[in-house]
Amino acid sequence: MHLRHITLKPVAVDADVSVEDAARAIEASGGRHLPVVQAGRVLGVVLGASIDDQGLLRQGTWVGWGRATTARDLLTVVPQVTLVGESRTPDEALDALLDHPCVLLVDDEGALLGLMTEHDGVRVALERLGPDDPALPAASAPVRTIGVDDPGGDGLQRMGWHHTRHLVLVDGDRPIGVVSERDLKAEGVHEGRSLSMGEVWRERPLVSAPATATLMEVATRIVDERVGCLPLLDEGGAPVGILTRRDLIRIALGGRRDRRVSAP
C-alpha cells in the first residue's frame, strides 16, 4: 500500500458520541468522512452529507433539526481492507472506491489504521496514467446539463434518471458551474426545500479543462482544485465530455478507457 496516498490515523469518534460532537469532529478534521469506532474496532463512517441532514455549526453553535442523536444513528458501513505490512497493493481499496465513498484500512485485529477517499484514489491514478493519454475518449458524453433557473428538485430527478452525481450548470448555452448531488442534499432539496439550481450553486467558479487535455492533466487539476469532476470544453466553450474521480480510478485499475456514449 502506498501509505503516502492515504490518511493515516484519521480523527475518529466513538459510536455513542452525540451528533453535535460528531459535527465538531468532522469540522475539525477538515474532511467529509468521520470513522466511527467502538471498543477499539472500527464500525464504519459518518459522512459529511449525513451531518448536513441533521443540522450545522453556525459560528460555533450547533443548530440541529434532524432526529438522530448519536454517531451510531448516522453510521454508513463501508469496505474495510486489512493492511499487513507492505503486502497489500492499492487495488483492493481502489476497486471498493468505485461503489463506496471511502475505504477503511485496518490491522488484522480490526483496529483503524487509515482512510482512503476518492481524492486519494485519484492521486494513486496519477502514478499510473500515461503522460500523453488523451482525456476526451475516456470522458462520459453527452454531458448532463441543467439551467441556472431550474428547480433543485429537477436536478435531483435528472441525476437519478442518468445515474450521475454531477450536473453542469448552464446560463443559456454557457456553462458556469457544476452542482453535485451532495450540494443539493446539503441545501435540503431532497427534503422539499424550494431552491433553484443557481441558488444551490452559489456562484462557485467553474473548474474545467480543454477537450485537448490529457488524462494526467485532468487528474492533476481534480487533485489540485479538490473537485469531484471536470467538464471538458471545446474551443467554443461548450461541454463535450466530463470525467469524474471514479472514472479516473476505474482507468487506474485497467478499466475500459473509451467511456463515451451516444444516448440523449
Side-chain angles (χ1 to χ4, degrees):
M1 175 69 73
H2 296 275
L3 297 181
R4 63 186 178 278
H5 293 318
I6 65 176
T7 303
L8 292 172
K9 297 296 183 182
V11 173
V13 296
D14 187 83
D16 294 319
V17 304
S18 68
V19 171
E20 177 181 344
D21 285 344
R24 294 187 185 280
I26 204 167
E27 181 179 72
S29 73
R32 297 179 179 177
H33 313 86
L34 181 67
V36 177
V37 298
Q38 186 171 51
R41 296 183 64 86
V42 62
L43 303 181
V45 297
V46 170
L47 303 177
S50 298
I51 293 289
D52 294 339
D53 287 342
Q54 301 301 313
L56 56 81
L57 286 167
R58 183 175 293 155
Q59 297 180 337
T61 300
W62 174 249
V63 181
W65 50 74
R67 296 183 178 179
T69 59
T70 67
R72 189 191 305 277
D73 298 328
L74 303 177
L75 189 69
T76 295
V77 177
V78 297
Q80 298 183 21
V81 173
T82 302
L83 181 62
V84 181
E86 296 294 326
S87 62
R88 291 282 184 176
T89 69
D91 286 16
E92 184 177 351
L94 288 175
D95 187 69
L97 286 174
L98 295 177
D99 298 304
H100 301 275
C102 65
V103 178
L104 294 165
L105 304 171
V106 300
D107 64 19
D108 53 7
E109 295 183 352
L112 179 65
L113 295 175
L115 176 74
M116 191 173 193
T117 67
E118 287 182 357
H119 184 77
D120 298 326
V122 176
R123 293 165 64 200
V124 175
L126 265 171
E127 296 188 347
R128 300 185 177 188
L129 297 172
D132 300 319
D133 292 341
L136 189 58
S140 298
V143 179
R144 307 302 177 183
T145 63
I146 193 165
V148 67
D149 294 322
D150 289 344
D154 288 0
L156 277 179
Q157 189 176 57
R158 196 167 301 184
M159 287 177 182
W161 285 341
H162 299 301
H163 305 289
T164 183
R165 296 183 295 165
H166 306 89
L167 295 173
V168 173
L169 194 65
V170 294
D171 186 0
D173 295 327
R174 181 174 63 93
I176 60 173
V178 172
V179 175
S180 69
E181 181 182 40
R182 182 178 183 275
D183 294 332
L184 291 165
K185 289 185 175 181
E187 294 293 344
V189 172
H190 66 304
E191 294 182 338
R193 189 178 181 199
S194 180
L195 293 173
S196 71
M197 292 297 293
E199 289 172 320
V200 172
W201 170 54
R202 299 191 186 282
E203 301 187 15
R204 293 181 294 272
L206 175 67
V207 180
S208 63
T212 55
T214 66
L215 282 170
M216 187 170 287
E217 289 170 337
V218 168
T220 299
R221 191 151 173 75
I222 282 177
V223 168
D224 289 347
E225 299 288 345
R226 300 194 68 85
V227 293
C229 69
L230 204 71
L232 304 176
L233 309 182
D234 65 15
E235 292 181 354
V240 292
I242 190 166
L243 277 161
T244 68
R245 289 182 298 203
R246 287 186 179 179
D247 290 332
L248 293 167
I249 292 169
R250 187 179 293 107
I251 291 167
L253 286 167
R256 184 165 176 255
R257 291 172 180 266
D258 187 353
R259 296 280 295 165
R260 296 175 69 78
V261 297
S262 58

